[in-house]
Amino acid sequence: MADSALLRIGKKEYTLPTLVGTEGEQALDIRALRKESSHITYDEGYGNTGSCESKVTFIDGEKGILRYRGYPIEQLAEHSSFVETAYLVIYGELPTKEQRARFSQLLRDNANIHERMLHLFEGYPRDAHPMAILSAMINSLGCYYPQMSTNDHRSDLEHFDEAAAITISKVRTIAACSYRMSQGLPMMYPKHDLGYCENFLHMMFSEPYHEYQASPEVSRALNLILLLHADHEQNCSTSTVRMVASSGANLFASTAAGICALWGPLHGGANVAVIRMLEEIHAAGDDGSRFIRDAKEGVAGKRLMGFGHRVYKNYDPRAKIIGKACEDMLKSLGREDPCLDIARHLEEAALNDEYFIERKLYPNVDFYSGIMMRAIGIPLTMFTVMFSIGRMPGWIANWKEVASNPKGRIYRPRQIYQGPAKRDYVPVDQRG
Ligand code: SDX
């Protein structure tokens, strides 16, 4: 691996140092480029730009590898739980029994939201999108915990453990509350004797006179979904969290911004778009072949949602795990879902089609996650909210990396200006 690169611009040459990551990824360090050569680099969408050095997650897109703090996602999916994986992603190590017990206790102690916060929900129209509510409420947590949202990272970091537990615990209470308000149901308070996922499902689905009991299959399925979403390197929403954190903003404001970024259909909103696509194909009596033909021809609104990825040019390992778990869960529940059959057919057809092969388009995490959430009973409007709950540990871990960096700089990319050249003001009566 070269320790520097030579860049020639016209007759001048510039030496660029290189950076090498733990797994041998290489980067040209261009931090001094503009000062020395008056050039910036241009990379719309940041597809080839490293914004930071991070120790949280490693992805090899060519090989379809995903590891949280060095642990392969396949092993965590098989042996771990969402809460344990959240601890790993945030603190960098798998917790000991004592650390796990302390972390779980912190989550239990922080499951309730402030009673005054309940009034905020009343201001929303009943059909308000839960992602709009979630981002507003997570940001509003800072109003109830001013000592953790001073926007001075040194002081906010003194309360980091509690702020992290508050965010991870309350995000599911707020999510469940937004769903129940939309259904005209009373808020269901968390119970101290339930696990993380079981408590969420209780808050979502229990009735005043009938307590919802999550079956082991459903609880395992929800744990798996949240665990597989826990972090994913510098994706759009995590980069947004880091961008906001870099200005000195507190954890609640930064993660609220991440929720907004995740909402888009090209990102976390894709899990909803996949189900809508599969239902449209099913309703049209299509087995997916017509849809794939339209997607290849670039017909508007016919993009194969849940397929393709900026980094994975191989099968998204999360999609492989969820696809199998989905099948097993439906079988164990004795249920069928025509969307799963269509999804399997789409996958089979696309993976053998030159258009998708040439563009290295494979199923991503969103392709099967919606079918699994539907089997659990999560309503479609809540799918991207579930992604937010799962991704919270990753956003928190990345916020902490920015906040703890003593040499951290505000994120401020440059641009190439393509607007009008200098011109003088024209009084309104002389304008054409
Ligand atoms: C997530 O970054 C992350 O890590 C995200 C995520 C995470 O965990 O945080 O993994 C979660 O967001 C997964 C992605 C969910 N989004 C979708 O499933 C939406 C559908 N996929 C695409 O819109 C697209 O693949 C993206 C947005 C995921 C990636 O977009 P890129 O990298 O900008 O790719 P592109 O749009 O430049 O596409 C390259 C080519 C184009 O064709 P040509 O112009 O070369 O002819 O591939 C085509 C695209 O038209 N293409 C697709 C396609 N995705 C890309 N064609 C049909 N169906 C698709 N899904």
Side-chain angles (χ1 to χ4, degrees), residues 300-355:
K302 297 290 184 186
R303 175 157 278 212
L304 193 52
M305 301 310 276
F307 250 73
H309 199 277
R310 175 62 58 78
V311 175
Y312 288 122
K313 300 310 171 192
N314 200 322
Y315 212 107
D316 182 335
R318 302 167 297 175
K320 210 175 277 183
I321 296 168
I322 293 185
K324 173 83 175 55
C326 210
E327 238 156 43
D328 296 348
M329 182 184 165
L330 286 171
K331 237 180 244 142
S332 78
L333 293 175
R335 301 229 315 252
E336 291 191 355
D337 184 342
C339 282
L340 181 58
D341 303 333
I342 293 175
R344 283 296 185 207
H345 176 82
L346 279 176
E347 176 186 342
E348 182 67 26
L351 295 186
N352 292 291
D353 185 299
E354 206 35 53
Y355 174 93

Side-chain angles (χ1 to χ4, degrees), residues 260-275:
C260 296
L262 188 73
W263 193 357
L266 294 185
H267 191 12
N271 54 25
V272 175
V274 168
I275 293 295

